[in-house]
């Protein structure tokens, strides 16, 4: 499957156990672009802290967010020869707070966010059912307390993850296409934005 270099980089965001890795992977496969899990970019110290049941703070997350931002800016791997346009990418990253997302977009301004929403009891049961993961379910409360939902002036959409994965992915693609459509409508024949800034698109869902 070839990558769609014309797509903006996508960050699938939300609290622990919302389904970022699962949905992100499936979404990337459907779009034919690379998938990267930001969990793999955490330092050993961050990982150890979370494993010990201690939530990360802003200082812990700052260098990690810069590493994630660098991935978004590169928009995924180049082709096999190492040249040509980079493919786009889907990154699973909690990106819980607005300043974190702004930090990511400082690296890669075209980034759009898909926030995964779920009822706390759904999250809790999924977190508890998951085995062999470094994130203890007890950290879910702090993740929910830290979450600053995607705001109306941030580029992206929200999808409910109560449905099976294939449905969640279809909803995400429809919402992303709607964002693309709105951006197209705002573009004049010379390719310059004549309407609202893409950055100011409403959050749907
Ligand atoms: N739509 C879904 N329906 C049912 N189970 C799901 C769904 N999405 C994710 N899961 C399950 O929930 C758990 C948490 O998902 P995961 O992708 O690891 O979340 P995150 O990356 O946000 O922590 C996993 O066991 C996963 O298989
Ligand atoms: O910002 C954070 O506190 C972390 O990024 C945190 O969100 C963690 O990395 C994951 O939630 C654990 O892994 P899962 O997202 O896969 O649960």
């Amino acid at each position: 499957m070839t990558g769609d270099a014309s797509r903006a980089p996508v960050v699938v965001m939300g609290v622990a156990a919302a389904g970022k890795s699962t949905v992100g992977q499936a979404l990337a496969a459907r779009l034919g672009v690379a998938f990267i899990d930001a969990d793999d970019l955490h330092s050993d110290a961050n990982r150890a802290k979370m494993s010990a049941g201690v939530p990360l703070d802003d200082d812990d997350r700052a260098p990690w967010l810069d590493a994630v931002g660098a991935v978004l800016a590169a928009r995924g791997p180049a082709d096999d020869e190492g040249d040509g346009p980079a493919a786009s990418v889907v990154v699973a990253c909690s990106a819980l707070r607005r300043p974190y997302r702004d930090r990511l977009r400082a690296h890669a301004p075209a980034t759009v966010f898909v926030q995964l929403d779920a009822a706390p009891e759904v999250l809790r049961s999924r977190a508890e059912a998951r085995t062999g993961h470094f994130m203890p379910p007890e950290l879910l409360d702090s993740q929910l307390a830290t979450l600053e939902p995607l705001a109306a002036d941030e580029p992206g959409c929200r999808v409910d993850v109560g449905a099976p994965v294939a449905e969640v992915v279809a909803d995400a693609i429809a919402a992303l296409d709607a964002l693309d459509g709105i951006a197209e409508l705002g573009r004049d024949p010379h390719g310059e934005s004549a309407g609202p800034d893409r950055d100011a698109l409403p959050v749907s869902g």
Side-chain angles (χ1 to χ4, degrees), residues 8 25 52:
Q25 227 158 1

Side-chain angles (χ1 to χ4, degrees), residues 14-23 37 39 92 116 126-127 129-130 133 161-166 168:
V15 299
K20 300 182 294 295
S21 309
T22 308
V23 172
D37 199 324
D39 274 353
L116 302 186
R126 288 185 187 169
R130 190 167 61 171
H133 195 283
V161 295
V165 176
V168 177

Side-chain angles (χ1 to χ4, degrees), residues 54-118:
V54 182
L56 301 182
D57 59 26
D58 289 353
D59 290 341
D60 297 320
R61 290 182 179 122
W64 170 66
L65 290 165
D66 287 336
V68 177
V71 165
L72 291 167
R75 301 186 72 215
D79 64 20
D80 289 343
E81 281 72 48
D83 50 24
S88 193
V89 66
V90 173
V91 175
C93 172
S94 49
L96 296 176
R97 300 189 57 224
R98 169 71 185 257
Y100 302 168
R101 298 188 290 272
D102 289 347
R103 194 168 183 126
L104 296 177
R105 288 175 60 225
H107 287 273
T111 301
V112 295
F113 298 92
V114 176
Q115 179 177 327
L116 302 186
D117 287 326

Side-chain angles (χ1 to χ4, degrees), residues 9-198:
V10 176
V11 169
V12 178
M13 57 162 284
V15 299
K20 300 182 294 295
S21 309
T22 308
V23 172
Q25 227 158 1
L27 178 62
R30 278 284 305 277
L31 298 178
V33 304
F35 170 74
I36 291 174
D37 199 324
D39 274 353
D40 296 336
L41 302 175
H42 272 304
S43 64
D44 289 345
N46 277 3
R47 218 172 254 275
K49 194 169 177 181
M50 288 187 278
S51 300
V54 182
L56 301 182
D57 59 26
D58 289 353
D59 290 341
D60 297 320
R61 290 182 179 122
W64 170 66
L65 290 165
D66 287 336
V68 177
V71 165
L72 291 167
R75 301 186 72 215
D79 64 20
D80 289 343
E81 281 72 48
D83 50 24
S88 193
V89 66
V90 173
V91 175
C93 172
S94 49
L96 296 176
R97 300 189 57 224
R98 169 71 185 257
Y100 302 168
R101 298 188 290 272
D102 289 347
R103 194 168 183 126
L104 296 177
R105 288 175 60 225
H107 287 273
T111 301
V112 295
F113 298 92
V114 176
Q115 179 177 327
L116 302 186
D117 287 326
E121 54 275 18
V122 171
L123 294 167
R124 220 169 297 282
S125 76
R126 288 185 187 169
E128 279 161 10
R130 190 167 61 171
T131 54
H133 195 283
F134 66 86
M135 189 81 175
E138 305 78 63
L139 280 187
L140 192 51
D141 286 342
S142 114
Q143 294 263 302
L144 286 166
T146 305
L147 177 67
E148 295 173 6
L150 205 54
D153 65 338
E154 292 183 271
C157 55
R158 295 170 65 170
V159 293
D160 187 88
V161 295
V165 176
E167 272 179 48
V168 177
V169 170
D171 288 349
I173 288 176
L176 288 170
D177 284 347
L179 289 177
D180 279 347
I182 293 167
E184 284 299 325
L185 283 176
R187 213 163 275 148
D188 76 12
H190 307 292
E192 287 163 0
S193 175
D197 187 335
R198 184 188 177 93

